[in-house]
Amino acid sequence: MRVVVAGGAGFLGSHLCDRLLAEGTEVVCIDNFLTGGPDNVDRLRTRDGFRLLRRDVTEPLDVAGPVDAVLNLASPASPVDYHALPLETLAAGASGTARLLDLARRKDARFVLASTSEVYGDPQVHPQPERYWGHVNPIGPRSMYDEAKRFAEALTTAHRATRGTRTGIVRIFNTYGPRMRAEDGRAVPTFIVQALGGEPVTVAGDGSQTRSLCYVDDLVDGFVRMMSNEVSGPVNIGSPYEMTVLELARLVVRLCGTGAPIEFIPRPPDDPSVRRPDITLARETLGWQPRVDVRDGLMRIIAWFQGLIGRDPAPWVPRQESPAGSDAPGG
């Protein structure tokens, strides 16, 4: 089997490449390194069956030889990245998705879009089932990411309906794990870096907003199951275990063992008040549900960040423009 992973040098994409190679799948990793890092896949370059192409998916794109699946994870996904790169984020969702869909159609390959729980916006239905249309501000501060993914879903659906492309849509909820960047603006790495450094752990608002955290290995398992299935989706992939941001901050401090204080800061506009997936469809159609307990998963990523201390101090400098306690999925 031969699979194209667009955005394969990113946080989620690199873990997906790992999983596919471990199963004997040939992987063509495509990334322009705008937000993904070559270091995420450096160890794979000598592996049989792995090929890395530096390409921008918004430009004309082709891959020589047969392709069985095209997996589209090519997009800035963290708040820091999509706020700094709004036009690039929108282009990835629009022209990038269009080019990858065309590639899948030409190769008669299965196409899977990595969408996001952000298509639900600040939801008025809880938990969020796939049939819910969402509550999204199309011109708000998060709109470049929300609308890029909503358009990508519409384009994927239209391709399937009009051209017969074998498509699937995965809506990824908050995901965490090793290889997250300390400065990417998402709650888990921000809290860990602050707690390990003995700095105040900054929680947006009063911390009562909720998130549901899925460990990256579980997320990748759901994505691979979607790739191997003909379900069109969308299908929610995420943890149904919900906790407040304040509970998360306190748990991180306890697991880090540093006694770092918690500090409350202003909450950013359009920050979702609740976030929890209804994963009934994933259970029924993919036989999937998360397995890694949040405490076990947090210990794994804490250990990974601790391992950075002796190698490179740069990841330990948090970017001040990212409001901790706000979050976006790890896609």
Side-chain angles (χ1 to χ4, degrees), residues 201-234:
V201 174
T202 52
V203 172
D206 63 3
S208 63
Q209 63 271 37
T210 67
R211 298 295 182 264
S212 301
L213 301 177
C214 184
Y215 190 67
V216 63
D217 290 355
D218 284 333
L219 184 283
V220 166
D221 181 58
F223 209 97
V224 170
R225 288 174 186 246
M226 190 69 171
M227 178 192 75
S228 304
N229 204 300
E230 289 300 324
V231 174
S232 61

Side-chain angles (χ1 to χ4, degrees), residues 21-167:
L21 287 168
E23 294 181 347
T25 300
E26 185 178 348
V27 173
V28 179
C29 173
I30 296 176
D31 208 295
N32 64 356
F33 303 138
L34 187 63
T35 59
D39 54 321
N40 285 337
V41 292
D42 273 346
R43 73 203 176 284
L44 302 179
R45 295 193 189 200
T46 58
R47 292 276 299 272
D48 290 338
F50 181 78
R51 184 183 180 197
L52 177 62
L53 300 178
R54 184 166 188 170
R55 300 282 190 277
D56 186 333
V57 296
T58 66
E59 298 176 354
L61 179 68
D62 197 14
V63 174
V67 173
D68 297 293
V70 176
L71 311 181
N72 181 13
L73 296 92
S75 173
S78 77
V80 165
D81 290 337
Y82 61 67
H83 284 137
L85 302 164
L87 297 180
E88 291 85 351
T89 301
L90 288 161
S95 56
T97 300
R99 296 209 186 266
L100 290 166
L101 279 163
D102 285 339
L103 175 64
R105 183 178 60 84
R106 293 196 306 271
K107 301 291 185 178
D108 190 27
R110 169 77 161 158
F111 174 91
V112 181
L113 171 69
S115 188
T116 172
S117 62
E118 294 299 310
V119 301
Y120 299 121
D122 189 5
Q124 297 178 317
V125 172
H126 192 65
Q128 294 81 60
E130 292 87 352
R131 65 182 178 274
Y132 177 51
W133 292 355
H135 179 230
V136 179
N137 181 355
I139 58 171
R142 306 163 73 96
S143 62
M144 70 289 288
Y145 185 61
D146 300 357
E147 297 301 332
K149 291 297 188 180
R150 285 161 64 92
F151 180 83
E153 285 198 12
L155 185 58
T156 299
T157 302
H159 234 268
R160 183 182 183 91
T162 63
R163 299 185 179 177
T165 312
R166 295 162 43 225
T167 65

Side-chain angles (χ1 to χ4, degrees), residues 176 215 255 291-301:
Y176 69 100
Y215 190 67
L255 295 176
R291 303 291 182 185
V292 179
D293 177 79
V294 66
R295 290 164 182 79
D296 293 339
L298 287 173
M299 287 301 296
R300 296 181 197 180
I301 186 174

Side-chain angles (χ1 to χ4, degrees), residues 302-321:
I302 288 169
W304 183 79
F305 271 113
Q306 287 172 325
L308 295 179
I309 296 175
R311 297 205 305 268
D312 183 0
W316 292 84
V317 181
R319 299 262 290 267
Q320 294 303 312
E321 66 268 33

Side-chain angles (χ1 to χ4, degrees), residues 149-203:
K149 291 297 188 180
R150 285 161 64 92
F151 180 83
E153 285 198 12
L155 185 58
T156 299
T157 302
H159 234 268
R160 183 182 183 91
T162 63
R163 299 185 179 177
T165 312
R166 295 162 43 225
T167 65
I169 299 170
V170 169
R171 288 179 178 164
I172 298 172
F173 281 68
N174 299 90
T175 304
Y176 69 100
R179 298 180 207 150
M180 296 189 86
R181 302 198 325 269
E183 75 281 8
D184 80 355
R186 286 177 274 205
V188 169
T190 301
F191 290 168
I192 291 172
V193 168
Q194 291 171 335
L196 288 176
E199 300 295 328
V201 174
T202 52
V203 172

